[in-house]
Amino acid sequence: MECSGKEASTGGYTAEQLKQQMGLLPLPGGNGGYFIETYRSTEDVSTAKGQRVAGTHIYFMVDKDSLADLFHIVLSDEVWHFYMGDPLVIVELDEHAPGQVIEAVLGNRVFDGQTITHVVKRNTFFAAYWMEGGQNGWSLAGTTVTPGFEVSDLRTGVRDELLALFPQARETIIKLTK
């Protein structure tokens, strides 16, 4: 995959300018990318893991230097939204469809197969990375998580475990794990 043509208008901003303007911070645990939480519901819902806030939202940026948000799993559905910059690739390893690697490209070129939103279902290993070849060197997206995201619900993918579960995705797993 590579980028071509005019991507989402960025106003000519650099990744560093956007990080500073938006207050984006490195993702905890060295997972790659930058974020800021912009919404946390004041309502709670009951889940199998106990009480959770009803929903959360973050801005998320990945650039050519941070490259990727490495494979991880969360216990809630996560809706991704494309905002601006170069396309962002989301890769899912679905244990309910053995042998299947799902890739979605978030971007503004919907007539070229890109999408402006994508849902990652709960309990699915996934990663996101900046699509090489873009004009800007960064992608800005957002994620809405319901029930809301809690750090205790996050599990980072371990390379050897993922390779055992998804041997057909060897190259992708090596690229997107530590």
Side-chain angles (χ1 to χ4, degrees):
M1 282 185 268
E2 61 180 58
C3 299
S4 62
K6 185 73 176 151
E7 305 307 334
S9 175
T10 63
Y13 299 115
T14 66
E16 287 305 315
Q17 289 170 319
L18 275 174
K19 287 177 209 173
Q20 183 176 359
Q21 178 66 27
M22 297 178 75
L24 300 173
L25 304 169
L27 277 174
N31 221 25
Y34 303 86
F35 85 106
I36 187 161
E37 186 176 83
T38 60
Y39 174 74
R40 180 167 284 272
S41 176
T42 57
E43 300 293 320
D44 287 343
V45 295
S46 295
T47 73
K49 287 286 200 170
Q51 291 293 105
R52 295 288 187 268
V53 297
T56 55
H57 177 271
I58 65 167
Y59 286 123
F60 172 74
M61 174 189 274
V62 65
D63 61 21
K64 62 184 177 187
D65 297 323
S66 61
L67 191 60
D69 179 21
L70 303 178
F71 275 114
H72 61 288
I73 196 168
V74 293
L75 299 180
S76 300
D77 291 345
E78 189 162 335
V79 182
W80 284 74
H81 322 267
F82 179 77
Y83 294 126
M84 63 194 305
D86 300 321
L88 180 76
V89 180
I90 299 172
V91 181
E92 297 177 61
L93 304 175
D94 188 350
E95 62 187 63
H96 303 293
Q100 189 172 8
V101 177
I102 300 165
E103 285 193 358
V105 179
L106 286 182
N108 67 332
R109 298 175 59 93
V110 295
F111 292 104
D112 293 332
Q114 296 176 9
T115 184
I116 54 175
T117 63
H118 179 75
V119 177
V120 176
K121 295 287 188 181
R122 68 186 191 97
N123 295 323
T124 300
F125 276 104
F126 70 99
Y129 65 91
W130 170 73
M131 183 184 279
E132 293 182 42
Q135 299 174 359
N136 303 296
W138 54 268
S139 302
L140 179 66
T143 68
T144 303
V145 179
T146 59
F149 176 77
E150 298 293 339
V151 173
S152 61
D153 293 343
L154 173 74
R155 190 174 100 214
T156 301
V158 176
R159 180 178 286 171
D160 290 341
E161 290 175 16
L162 290 176
L163 288 170
L165 288 170
F166 306 100
Q168 74 288 354
R170 180 176 181 72
E171 185 177 319
T172 303
I173 290 169
I174 289 172
K175 175 181 178 180
L176 297 171
T177 55
K178 289 184 181 180

